[in-house]
Amino acid sequence: MVLKKDTTTPSTMSSPTIISASNEYSPLRALIIGRAAHSLFPSEPPHMIRATMPTLHHPEFRPHHPFPADIVAKADQELDNFARVMTERFGLKVYRPKEVDWAKANEGRGGYTGAMPRDGLMVVGRTVVEACFGWGCRRGEIELAYHDVLEDIMEGAQKAGESVRVCRAPKIVGADTLYDGLLDDDKPEDRKDGAKQNGTFNSQNGNQTTHWAINNTRPAFDCADFMRFGTVLIGQLSHVTNPKGVDYLRAVLPAPYTVELLNTTDDHAMHIDATILPLRHGTLIYCPSRVTEEELRRHEVFGDWDLRPLPWNPEEEEEEEEKDEGPPRYMCSKWLALNAMSVDEKTIVVEERQERFARWLEEEFGMEVVRLPFRHVNSLGGSFHCATVDLVRKEL
Ligand code: ABU
């Protein structure tokens, strides 16, 4: 198939070295890799945990509850190993966040983790955008763990004579209203379908209505609800991303970047990076229980792409990890294999126990698959895509 060239990537860029990324798959040069130390189960209200987290693990989500120490220690070993492979084998520049005691974050309320930077930071062209986190326990995460990385980036850009913009999230002044009308002890009349009170918003997809766990009273979004495809970002509304968050993102992105929303059928939507996985320009894998090919094709950017559903349903499979009693996936769905990270259009990093997925990528798409251990990082909420932020991807 002849594919339209990626004409959407701005051509004004001249080999930048500090910050430059307009897609998820062109050759990676620099990235952030997270850090697991002191990770706590995120403490958010029960309605949010019910909406987003696997039922079996709900009791774990309580204030000041650390993830098991052995899981966190092994997750840090996996992250360190991943960083070493990226540096030594692929020659990439790797930035790491500061170690933070998350129990003391948010004036003692507690934070979550430094292992999932993709949720909080996104590079679009030469702009770094910080998420307006919906989860209160994540507020301050970027400042605490990534301040030094952002300073290094700015310093590096200055030295290299590159113009880089870092767009930090606005501070919330006064009480946060994002859960108003949605908490379990709010009055039921405030939670009616389509209620205008308190800015509650629902999404309609065919016959299905999703009742989101946040309202639309202020901008909220996680960066991991968006992916870059040249000058078009494809994103989704979710339990952590609301319409005002999308408007905010549209407003802070430099021209000519735009945001289009994918209508997913995922009642538990939180982060788009186990729903779609672009392997290279022109080829994308998707989760067929969360999005349809028709919906993807509605977006011009995918018009002539080879769009492939994952041909088996991981929800119906006995998991490798269950067979050998791997660490619990407290926060992730069974589609997590799709949360892989591309080094370039032919090379992708996949969790080493996802052998069926790895072989499919090799045999069906001719990918070179780098298999690395990451199951303890998976326990904390994501895989290689979640645990990274790509800072520089070379122009195609
Ligand atoms: N934080 C990304 C996880 C996505 C998923 O489990 O489906």
Side-chain angles (χ1 to χ4, degrees), residues 240-258:
V240 291
T241 293
N242 63 15
K244 278 195 177 163
V246 178
D247 290 344
Y248 170 93
L249 184 59
R250 286 185 172 128
V252 299
L253 288 180
Y257 293 93
T258 57

Side-chain angles (χ1 to χ4, degrees), residues 122-332:
M122 162 165 56
V123 171
V124 182
R126 293 184 185 182
T127 298
V128 186
V129 182
E130 178 184 358
C132 298
F133 279 125
W135 284 7
C137 68
R138 300 197 78 170
R139 229 156 288 145
E141 186 175 303
I142 297 303
E143 180 59 22
L144 285 168
Y146 303 93
H147 176 90
D148 295 353
V149 173
L150 294 175
E151 290 269 297
D152 279 2
I153 287 170
M154 293 308 288
E155 230 170 80
Q158 209 164 23
K159 279 195 198 133
E162 288 176 24
S163 145
V164 162
R165 192 164 66 102
V166 178
C167 185
R168 300 298 307 268
K171 288 226 167 5
I172 295 159
V173 178
D176 193 2
T177 54
L178 206 57
Y179 293 139
D180 285 4
L182 293 159
L183 294 170
D184 288 345
D185 53 2
D186 286 332
K187 291 196 275 350
E189 58 267 31
D190 287 346
R191 299 203 299 271
K192 276 189 231 142
D193 288 2
K196 289 273 186 303
Q197 305 96 313
N198 304 308
T200 307
F201 70 107
N202 300 322
S203 288
Q204 194 69 33
N205 197 315
N207 293 329
Q208 180 183 316
T209 305
T210 307
H211 305 271
W212 300 116
I214 54 174
N215 63 36
N216 196 31
T217 51
R218 69 152 175 94
F221 71 95
D222 277 14
C223 296
D225 269 327
F226 300 87
M227 277 198 186
R228 299 149 302 181
F229 296 88
T231 54
V232 177
L233 272 70
I234 296 289
Q236 66 175 9
L237 295 177
S238 78
H239 291 290
V240 291
T241 293
N242 63 15
K244 278 195 177 163
V246 178
D247 290 344
Y248 170 93
L249 184 59
R250 286 185 172 128
V252 299
L253 288 180
Y257 293 93
T258 57
V259 181
E260 295 179 17
L261 289 183
L262 197 64
N263 286 319
T264 61
T265 51
D266 180 7
D267 264 349
H268 303 288
M270 179 177 159
H271 305 160
I272 202 167
D273 50 359
T275 298
I276 53 174
L277 167 62
L279 294 181
R280 57 177 73 109
H281 181 72
T283 307
L284 176 137
I285 295 167
Y286 66 94
C287 161
S289 26
R290 291 178 171 175
V291 70
T292 61
E293 176 174 351
E294 189 190 6
E295 170 57 18
L296 286 161
R297 293 238 183 259
R298 196 174 63 79
H299 298 269
E300 206 181 319
V301 77
F302 298 135
D304 50 1
W305 280 44
D306 181 12
L307 304 174
R308 299 286 193 92
L310 191 71
W312 64 90
N313 184 345
E315 287 170 2
E316 287 165 7
E317 278 196 323
E318 189 192 351
E319 288 203 26
E320 296 292 319
E321 67 182 40
E322 278 163 19
K323 280 184 236 160
D324 67 1
E325 294 176 354
R329 279 195 200 156
Y330 297 109
M331 299 182 64
C332 292

